[in-house]
Amino acid sequence: MRELGMQVSIDAIGNIVGIFPGTEDLPPVMVGSHIDTVRTGGLYDGNYGVLAGLEVVATLRDAALQTRRPLAVAVFTNEEGARFQPDMMGSLVYVGGLPLQEALETRDADGVSVHSELQRMGYQGTAAVGAPAVDSFVELHIEQGPVLERLGLQIGVVEGVQGISWTEFTVEGQSNHAGTTPMALRHDAALVAAQVAVFVRELTVRMGANQLATVGAVRLSPNLVNVIAQKAVFTVDLRNTDSAALAQAERDLHAYVAQATQTEGTRVSSRTLARFEPVAFDPMVVNLVEQQTQAMGCSYHRMPSGAGHDAQMLARVCRSAMIFVPSAGGLSHNVREHTEPVDLHRGAQLLLQVVLALANRPTDGPF
Ligand code: HGY
Ligand code: MN
Ligand code: MN
């Protein structure tokens, strides 16, 4: 950002914002994404949107062009939420959806806080959180799913993001000897965790295509081959584009966990790790993305996002939308994540066209 002559600020939750001045001192058009990944993540999730945003600025600078509105490139802290929940933490604080102090005090499974980690890596900045106010936000991102590749299409014109519900359950039973404890006398926390994993799969079959469910993290203790598990701490990730259906899935899940826990003679507690309603992006910006996609002659598909993104948080404070490019094999959150260079270039070129239209539009309202 500094090499591009941008004014760089880092806020108290570590969000990085670079500003490339416009000809008028107006709220900037913001692009960007995140550079954190899940531990087994790939090269493109998040990073692509940030690098393409810098490429847009570099292209304007190299052409000695300035847009009417300034451009901002944002790097939001902890979009993934895999270590410190919730996901989209940095952008949620940025838009005022999560108090800064609460975010800083969030601890990981080892008790380490966001605050201490930001200090350790030198990214607890001094800039006020949520500045500058933003005119609009466009996030370029890999699709992370199979839709575009299966349809043989080049661009995803993203209309919104599905609802997300993350719950952590702690089931406590009784550890005992695996060889001497009769099956009828067991209170096996691992059994309940396994039953819930099967239940949520059956729940998605019953609820239909838009319901997704994942038991992604399971920690057993004492986690020994010949000891009945005393404790199981596990997570359930539920998603749906429909708000009411997602709430119903949550109710069904909690009812089932209570029943399975009671049957096994165990105890259960739970805590919500993240909960976001479905988000619809701004029609003006979505239409602009579609128009610019058509102008470039790209094949495309209007679609929702299966993954959460910082754009769903920026949508709370400004006109926001997203652009997808295909993911090879629909793979993501996997080190083999891949997108072809031709697709990466096409997405960045489209981002440039959309940003130019937004940043040079004569009025502050719709087109
Ligand atoms: O979980 C998500 O959808 C995002 O990758 N944080
Ligand atoms: Mn991402
Ligand atoms: Mn991700």
Side-chain angles (χ1 to χ4, degrees), residues 126-148:
T126 53
V129 169
V134 172
D135 169 78
S136 47
F137 181 73
V138 183
E139 183 170 3
L140 173 62
H141 206 286
I142 54 171
E143 178 205 330
Q144 301 184 280
V147 174
L148 292 176

Side-chain angles (χ1 to χ4, degrees), residues 36-40 77-89 103-121 166 168 217 219 235 271 273-274 333:
D36 64 301
T37 74
V38 294
R39 195 169 65 241
T40 55
T77 301
N78 187 31
E79 185 279 342
E80 293 296 353
R83 176 182 176 192
F84 299 108
Q85 294 80 33
D87 51 347
M88 286 78 72
M89 178 185 275
L104 292 173
E105 289 166 6
T106 302
R107 295 183 182 278
D108 66 9
D110 300 321
V112 178
S113 72
V114 168
H115 182 253
S116 63
E117 286 294 83
L118 283 174
Q119 287 189 314
R120 180 177 63 80
M121 65 185 196
W166 287 0
E168 177 189 81
R219 291 197 310 275
T235 60
R271 66 189 179 106
L273 300 178
H333 284 190

Side-chain angles (χ1 to χ4, degrees), residues 10 32 38 59 66 71 76 90 93 109 139 142 190 218 226 256 292 329 354:
I10 300 170
V38 294
T59 303
Q66 257 191 313
L71 301 187
F76 289 110
V93 171
E139 183 170 3
I142 54 171
V218 179
N226 57 354
Y256 179 79
Q292 295 299 332
V354 170

